[in-house]
């Protein structure tokens, strides 16, 4: 039984959802190359910008300027009144497509990347290859981008670093292919230490993709399942059924918004508009 209601359809592949400073839901559609803002109250949607290199993670600088990850050319772009400009070049850190991003209150951006051609592996060997206990994917580094665009590495050897969120002074990172959430202590300068497992989700079959912090828990999009999971203190506390696999989540005021699609494989979702925004009241 599906627990969510459908807010919006006609999306190719939605990702990187965030509540914006104006209260609207902002998200990226990979294969329409657009960042959009959707008003949950009215259902009105606006195209904010077009990203030829394929948009993903989103965030805002303290002054309200939008940052957006350009996946294929491994950059972070900044939206200025005249259009998008380069904010940071991740080419020295990202070893494949850049992906999700979390921007803190000071304007520092944590940015993950695939580390390898995930979709190529799935196309050649199937998703089952990723689920094998002995599968060891190439790892990736997590980048930290300063408010001025300087790039450094804050953690290495992550198994597909994906969605991120803050729980107080703790950064939680979804390691998709480690099937778990990893926690770090965050210093005043944004550096990370104290790496540890925050939640082991392999037993639930959860390959965590996007995540969203809500109160004391973390909502997790499991990628391979038509559901969203609430994880509290490292344990699964709730499961919400969606109409199709869930790849990203956001909390907008009192609503959990799920970006769903039948698959993440480009050969399917870049052709047909099968993606949805689904909502669950909190």
């Amino acid at each position: 039984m599906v627990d969510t209601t459908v807010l919006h359809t006609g999306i190719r592949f939605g990702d990187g959802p965030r509540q914006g400073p104006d209260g609207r839901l902002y998200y990226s559609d990979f294969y329409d190359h657009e960042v959009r803002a959707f008003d949950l109250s009215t259902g009105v949607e606006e195209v904010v910008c077009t990203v030829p290199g394929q948009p993903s993670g989103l965030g805002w600088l303290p002054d309200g300027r939008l940052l957006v990850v350009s996946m294929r050319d491994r950059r972070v772009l900044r939206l200025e009144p005249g259009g998008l400009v380069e904010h940071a070049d991740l080419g020295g850190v990202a070893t494949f497509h850049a992906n999700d991003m979390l921007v803190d209150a000071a304007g520092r951006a944590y940015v993950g990347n695939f580390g390898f051609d995930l979709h190529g592996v799935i196309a050649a060997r199937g998703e089952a290859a990723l689920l094998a206990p002995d599968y060891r994917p190439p790892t990736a580094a997590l980048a930290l981008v300063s408010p001025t665009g300087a790039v450094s590495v804050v953690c290495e050897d992550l198994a597909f670093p994906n969605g991120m969120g803050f729980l107080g002074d703790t950064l939680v990172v979804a390691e998709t292919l480690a099937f778990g959430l990893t926690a770090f202590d965050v210093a005043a300068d944004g550096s990370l230490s104290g790496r540890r497992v925050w939640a082991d989700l392999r037993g639930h079959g959860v390959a965590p993709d996007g995540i969203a912090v809500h109160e004391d828990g973390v909502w997790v999009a499991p990628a391979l399942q038509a559901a969203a999971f609430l994880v509290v203190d490292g344990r699964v506390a709730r499961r919400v059924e969606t109409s199709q696999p869930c790849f990203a989540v956001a909390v907008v005021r009192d609503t959990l918004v799920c970006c769903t699609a039948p698959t993440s494989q480009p050969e399917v979702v870049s052709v047909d508009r099968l993606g949805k925004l689904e909502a669950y009241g909190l």
Side-chain angles (χ1 to χ4, degrees), residues 25-265:
L25 173 77
Y26 285 70
Y27 73 96
S28 295
D29 189 328
F30 280 11
Y31 304 113
D32 270 342
H33 304 280
E34 292 177 348
V35 176
R36 301 176 183 141
F38 181 82
D39 190 317
L40 271 64
S41 300
T42 65
V44 174
E45 184 170 80
E46 173 193 0
V47 175
V48 177
C49 60
T50 299
V51 181
Q54 194 169 306
S56 182
L58 305 172
W60 287 265
L61 292 170
D63 62 8
R65 286 176 295 171
L66 176 70
L67 298 181
V68 53
V69 170
S70 182
M71 298 179 70
R72 291 182 172 272
D73 54 6
R74 308 176 199 182
R75 295 190 296 162
V76 176
L77 307 179
R78 188 178 67 250
L79 184 59
E80 298 286 355
L84 290 168
V85 300
E86 181 175 286
H87 183 71
D89 184 348
L90 304 173
V93 176
T95 48
F96 204 70
H97 295 342
N99 195 19
D100 218 330
M101 175 172 65
L102 179 66
V103 181
D104 70 12
R108 293 178 296 230
Y110 296 87
V111 191
N113 73 95
F114 285 30
F116 71 108
D117 185 359
L118 171 71
H119 297 308
V121 170
I122 294 174
R125 301 170 57 189
E127 290 179 348
L130 306 178
L131 299 173
D134 60 347
Y135 180 67
R136 297 292 181 269
T139 58
L142 185 66
L144 178 62
V145 179
S146 77
T148 60
V151 179
S152 59
V153 173
V154 284
C155 185
E156 298 181 307
D157 299 322
L158 291 164
F160 206 98
N162 216 324
M164 291 168 278
F166 290 115
L167 281 172
D169 293 329
T170 298
L171 175 68
V172 177
V173 179
E175 281 196 79
T176 302
L177 296 180
F179 293 85
L181 304 178
T182 301
F184 299 88
D185 299 319
V186 182
D189 63 357
S191 60
L192 305 179
S193 62
R195 179 176 178 171
R196 57 199 180 275
V197 174
W198 193 78
D200 183 351
L201 301 174
R202 186 179 289 273
H204 295 273
V206 172
D209 194 326
I211 68 173
V213 172
H214 179 62
E215 295 179 346
D216 295 325
V218 177
W219 282 100
V220 178
L224 304 179
Q225 300 182 51
F229 292 83
L230 177 63
V231 180
V232 179
D233 294 330
R235 302 184 303 276
V236 173
R238 193 187 314 175
R239 175 185 174 116
V240 171
E241 303 290 339
T242 55
S243 71
Q244 53 185 354
C246 178
F247 293 93
V249 288
V251 175
V252 180
R253 296 187 294 276
D254 57 353
T255 301
L256 175 71
V257 180
C258 304
C259 294
T260 71
T263 177
S264 64
Q265 286 300 98

